[in-house]
Amino acid sequence: TTPSLMYNKMWHQTQEALSALLDKEPQKMIEPQRNQVFIFQTLATFYVKYVQIFRNLENVYDQFVHPQKRILIRKVLDGVMGRILELKNEMVELELTEFHYFDDILQDLKLAPQQLDIPIPKYFLKEKLEVIKGREKILAQILADSGIDTSDMKYPVKSIPFDEAVKLIQIAERARQGRLRALFMKQIYLQEYRAKQSKMLGKKVTDTWAAALRIQKVWRRFHQCKETEKLREEEMIFLGMNPPPLFNEVSATVIQAEKVDHLRNEVQRKHEEDYREALVTIKNDLKLIEGVDIKENLQDQIRHWFIECRNLTGTFPDYPDVEEGGSAIIFSDKTIQQVIEDIIANQEEEEKNKKKKKKKEKQPKKAKKQKKGTKEKNKEEDEKWKMSPSLFLPAMKEGCNAYKEIWMKKDESWNFSQDYDPELIKEEKRKELQSEIRIQVDELMRQELKNLKLAVDRERERPVKAGKKKDKKKGKKGKKKEKAEKKDKDLTADRTIESLYKELVEEGLLIQALKVNLSDYIGEYSYLGTTLRQVSIEPMPSLLDVRQLITLYGIWPLGSAAVHEKAPLVKSLLLAGPSGVGKKMLVHAICTETGANLFNLSCSNIAGKYPGKNGLQMMLHAVFKVARQLQPSVVWIEDTEKTFYKKVPNAEKMNEPKRLKKHLPQILKLLKPDDRILIVGTTRRPFDAELQSFCKVYQKIILVPRPDYASRYVLWKQIIERNGGVLTSALNVSCLAKVTDGFTQGHIVEVVKGVLTDQRIRRQIHKPLTAVEFITAITSMNPVYKEEEESFKNWYAKTPLGKKRALAITGGSTEKAKDKGKRK
């Protein structure tokens, strides 16, 4: 119970922080501002605070087992996620760069850079774990049946003739016997040597005291060395320079936490099932007990309305249609007296409107003069910056209000197991039941009103004339629908999704994503970003900046449908950088973290498949049909610059690399906010592509840099440890990181795997690892030189966002930069 109380307290504190933030935000955002630095500071402060709220809420949502609380927290979580994406979009438009630095804000708020790291919600995978596992099984089965099983490809076994096998066994056996004989002979030699030595020394009279003193000296020296080493290690651990013993080993508390986590997941699942069952049973019970009373009360209420309208206006009212909402429009949370007051108010408003119309007809010229003045004012207002309206603030405010009304001061001492609250379900279902019964009552009361009109007012039903205009509109809509259907014609209407899925797997277009988490993309933060920008130097982004952008633009929208529908839509993403920096790994990480399907539409992969125009059309149709049906999905185009070649090399003309060039923009137009599909391109030579068409296809361009010193230091340490290496004082990691400037993550991984063989890992106890071993291995590789990095920077400066940023830095205003970017 103590952890649940702790997380309950954490939830209350986070909700208070969120409501305070929601009160502050509209005040600052409504005021128009001109100072760009001040605007960015306010946006960045809100961004950092929302990230902290999101981290806490995500943790609380994962720990809670109360189903109704989890529903509310989930709603707020989606809202906070969407708001973070909106703020990020605003910062990009303001600063004209994808990368932002918050060093000064973190100092003011007393936060560590690690607290700015954006977590991936655990429920992305938890909620569809069974679906993902089922899909993986089907994919593995199809690959196995078609003979493309990737698991068997890793370790190919070659068959050898029987005679050669016998010879190999004989050689191994003779070597074993030779080693045993050599050891036996060594033992005999040592015995004989000891016997000779004892005979020679036996004649001399040795001084036992002198011998004992010598042994003491040697022992004391050895013991003191060990003690000094131990004290040094303890001091380094105390200072935080070295990790404590058993630092990397999994502790008993971690194992216990994993068990508790597993048990909590089961309790969450059970409570949710009980809650779903209770929704049905409680509604049925309410229908039996309160259904008749609700029906009678509604009928009495509506009859009273008939009579009051008749008394006030002289005629019976017109009953609202089903499409308008029936009697719910009139009696939505209103008493009969309030309804009567509304009728009187409507009559007064109608009279006022008639008088106003007469006055307007007399004064038409003055309005025109006023319009000119308003236009001039609007121009002045447009010069000032204003925050664009948010689509997620209403949802967050609703969540905060629901929390204040229901959970803020609720006594839960009775609910020890944190199961569902039946009273809350009754309140919800009572409203549902009332709306269902109201539909039935409306049908009865409409007929009753007709009877009353016939009996009292002696009105007769007039035949309603069929409007010609409506038919025309319907005709036009019908034509538009027909055109849309022709464009979106289903080429595979006679085929099932399962058959298309199987075909794409067999053709190698739908591939199995590697199980790589985004946390495996190791790196460090850029600690001098703000300082460099203040001196007008554009810093190269750090690896963790790239990781955050992947989370914001790729993982969050694909993982949450609610966020994808309303957040600024990112349909395509380009990862540009030298080979070995982890572009491919990031693509696989997006799929692993969201459980997305991975479609490979790289030029090399689609070469020779589905030939001709019709074949290409069929391929794209099948890919995007399956991607939509089994979303989320990632469409990956490796070496995407080949699709947009300025001039196709002769060696690649046979592969037709530009097949997708015309179709990609069309596909992007067809993608809607409901389609959780992301097109990801990776390139190591973006300068080979035609820039204009390239940038039209890819909305967001992310430069993936080579690792800096801090990132290399962390990389060497973690990759050595992951491959079985032991870090000791003999291995100077700082020296390794300094010497390997320009080498990428791919180089480091390759070197570490090459040096740390099974034999070398076993010998570490006697011979610790040194930096020289790794340096000699890396000398044969080609690093990424500064010139290559500069070429990426120069290329990025030619992209639309890069041009705007360059203009803003050189002194041109952001408005001019935006205008020029649009024209070009």
Side-chain angles (χ1 to χ4, degrees), residues 65-72 267-283 407 418-429 432:
V65 294
H66 196 298
Q68 286 149 308
K69 285 181 185 177
R70 279 169 63 81
I71 289 164
L72 178 62
V267 173
Q268 281 175 354
R269 186 173 48 78
K270 188 180 177 296
H271 282 192
E272 279 175 16
E273 284 174 6
D274 294 344
Y275 174 67
R276 286 195 202 98
E277 286 173 13
L279 289 172
V280 179
T281 53
I282 288 170
K283 189 179 177 180
W407 302 106
Q418 288 290 288
D419 208 344
Y420 66 86
D421 190 338
E423 290 303 317
L424 289 174
I425 296 171
K426 279 179 185 177
E427 283 177 26
E428 285 176 23
K429 292 298 165 187
E432 275 184 33

Side-chain angles (χ1 to χ4, degrees), residues 24 46 51 112 209 242 396 423 476 482 514 546 558 562 565 646 677 690 709 718 740 770:
K24 279 182 189 176
F46 283 124
V51 168
W209 286 104
N242 282 350
M396 285 192 283
E423 290 303 317
K476 284 177 184 177
E482 281 174 19
L514 301 172
V546 171
L558 285 177
E565 280 176 24
K646 293 171 189 173
I677 300 167
E690 190 189 338
Y709 170 78
Q718 292 205 24
T740 54
T770 58

Side-chain angles (χ1 to χ4, degrees), residues 2 62 108 173 186 284 309 498 520 527 542 608 646 734 751:
T2 309
D62 186 52
D108 294 343
E173 179 59 25
K186 189 180 179 182
N284 291 336
C309 279
E498 287 78 12
D520 295 332
Y527 296 101
S542 73
K646 293 171 189 173
S734 180
V751 165

Side-chain angles (χ1 to χ4, degrees), residues 274-514:
D274 294 344
Y275 174 67
R276 286 195 202 98
E277 286 173 13
L279 289 172
V280 179
T281 53
I282 288 170
K283 189 179 177 180
N284 291 336
D285 293 343
L286 280 170
K287 202 170 187 178
L288 290 168
I289 298 160
E290 299 179 16
V292 178
D293 294 336
I294 291 167
K295 192 174 182 180
E296 285 175 3
N297 288 336
L298 287 172
Q299 285 177 331
D300 292 342
Q301 198 180 34
I302 293 162
R303 281 194 193 104
H304 193 61
W305 172 58
F306 292 163
I307 295 157
E308 288 296 332
C309 279
R310 168 82 177 168
N311 293 338
L312 288 166
T313 60
T315 55
F316 285 111
D318 293 326
Y319 209 96
D321 294 333
V322 181
E323 293 168 359
E324 291 173 1
S327 60
I329 297 169
I330 302 152
F331 296 101
S332 56
D333 302 327
K334 288 181 183 179
T335 59
I336 296 162
Q337 287 178 350
Q338 286 172 333
V339 172
I340 294 159
E341 285 170 11
D342 288 346
I343 294 161
I344 296 161
N346 286 333
Q347 283 180 340
E348 288 173 1
E349 277 179 19
E350 281 175 11
E351 287 174 9
K352 285 178 183 178
N353 289 333
K354 285 175 184 177
K355 289 176 183 178
K356 281 181 184 178
K357 280 179 184 177
K358 287 177 182 178
K359 284 180 182 179
K360 281 180 183 178
E361 285 171 6
K362 290 175 183 178
Q363 298 172 343
K365 290 178 182 179
K366 287 181 182 178
K368 288 179 182 178
K369 288 178 183 178
Q370 285 175 353
K371 280 180 184 178
K372 287 178 183 178
T374 53
K375 279 182 182 178
E376 287 171 9
K377 285 180 183 178
N378 288 335
K379 281 180 183 178
E380 287 176 11
E381 284 176 7
D382 288 341
E383 286 175 8
K384 295 177 182 179
W385 180 88
K386 269 189 179 182
M387 180 74 172
S388 55
S390 172
L391 296 170
F392 292 95
L393 282 175
M396 285 192 283
K397 282 175 183 173
E398 277 178 33
C400 284
N401 292 335
Y403 161 76
K404 284 173 186 174
E405 288 170 12
I406 302 165
W407 302 106
M408 194 172 177
K409 293 178 182 178
K410 193 172 180 65
D411 181 25
E412 287 189 281
S413 55
W414 61 273
N415 195 359
F416 182 79
S417 62
Q418 288 290 288
D419 208 344
Y420 66 86
D421 190 338
E423 290 303 317
L424 289 174
I425 296 171
K426 279 179 185 177
E427 283 177 26
E428 285 176 23
K429 292 298 165 187
R430 200 173 274 119
K431 287 176 184 176
E432 275 184 33
L433 190 65
Q434 197 170 1
S435 60
E436 284 174 15
I437 291 168
R438 191 180 285 278
I439 293 162
Q440 297 169 9
V441 169
D442 281 351
E443 287 177 13
L444 294 168
M445 297 313 288
R446 273 193 194 91
Q447 192 61 43
E448 194 171 312
L449 183 63
K450 283 179 186 177
N451 295 337
L452 276 168
K453 282 180 179 180
L454 287 167
V456 180
D457 295 342
R458 293 180 181 178
E459 286 184 8
R460 290 182 182 179
E461 288 184 26
R462 293 176 183 177
V464 180
K465 290 179 182 179
K468 292 178 182 179
K469 290 179 182 177
K470 287 182 181 178
D471 294 338
K472 284 180 182 178
K473 283 179 184 177
K474 282 180 184 178
K476 284 177 184 177
K477 283 179 184 177
K479 285 176 184 178
K480 284 179 184 177
K481 281 181 183 178
E482 281 174 19
K483 285 179 182 178
E485 280 172 11
K486 282 178 183 178
K487 283 182 182 178
D488 303 334
K489 193 180 177 183
D490 193 352
L491 301 172
T492 54
D494 56 332
R495 293 186 61 182
T496 59
I497 291 294
E498 287 78 12
S499 67
L500 287 170
Y501 184 89
K502 190 179 179 182
E503 186 187 315
L504 291 171
V505 173
E506 286 171 351
E507 289 288 342
L509 299 178
L510 202 162
I511 60 169
Q512 196 164 20
L514 301 172

Side-chain angles (χ1 to χ4, degrees), residues 776-791:
T776 50
I778 211 165
T779 48
S780 59
M781 295 177 180
N782 291 320
V784 177
Y785 295 102
K786 279 188 179 178
E787 291 79 10
E788 190 177 344
E789 196 174 70
E790 285 299 317
S791 65

Side-chain angles (χ1 to χ4, degrees), residues 130-145:
E130 290 177 11
V131 176
I132 293 163
K133 282 182 178 177
R135 212 178 284 166
E136 280 178 0
K137 280 181 184 176
I138 293 162
L139 184 59
Q141 188 62 46
I142 294 164
L143 289 168
D145 293 344

Side-chain angles (χ1 to χ4, degrees), residues 97-101 524-530 532-533 537-546 549 576-578 581 687 702-709 711 784-797 805:
T97 176
E98 298 290 353
F99 299 97
H100 310 289
Y101 303 100
E524 258 295 348
Y525 297 90
S526 180
Y527 296 101
L528 296 171
T530 308
L532 288 168
R533 276 193 176 166
I537 297 168
E538 190 60 28
M540 203 64 182
S542 73
L543 300 183
L544 288 191
D545 291 331
V546 171
L549 286 185
V581 290
F687 7 89
I702 301 172
L703 274 185
V704 188
R706 59 181 189 170
D708 57 359
Y709 170 78
S711 294
V784 177
Y785 295 102
K786 279 188 179 178
E787 291 79 10
E788 190 177 344
E789 196 174 70
E790 285 299 317
S791 65
F792 275 97
K793 265 190 173 182
N794 295 335
W795 172 81
Y796 186 76
R805 177 72 183 166

Side-chain angles (χ1 to χ4, degrees), residues 725-731 755-756 760-774:
V726 178
L727 297 171
T728 60
S729 55
L731 178 61
V755 171
L756 292 177
R760 184 68 189 89
I761 289 164
R762 285 197 297 270
R763 285 174 61 207
Q764 281 183 105
I765 303 161
H766 308 293
K767 190 184 176 184
L769 291 168
T770 58
V772 180
E773 294 177 68
F774 297 102

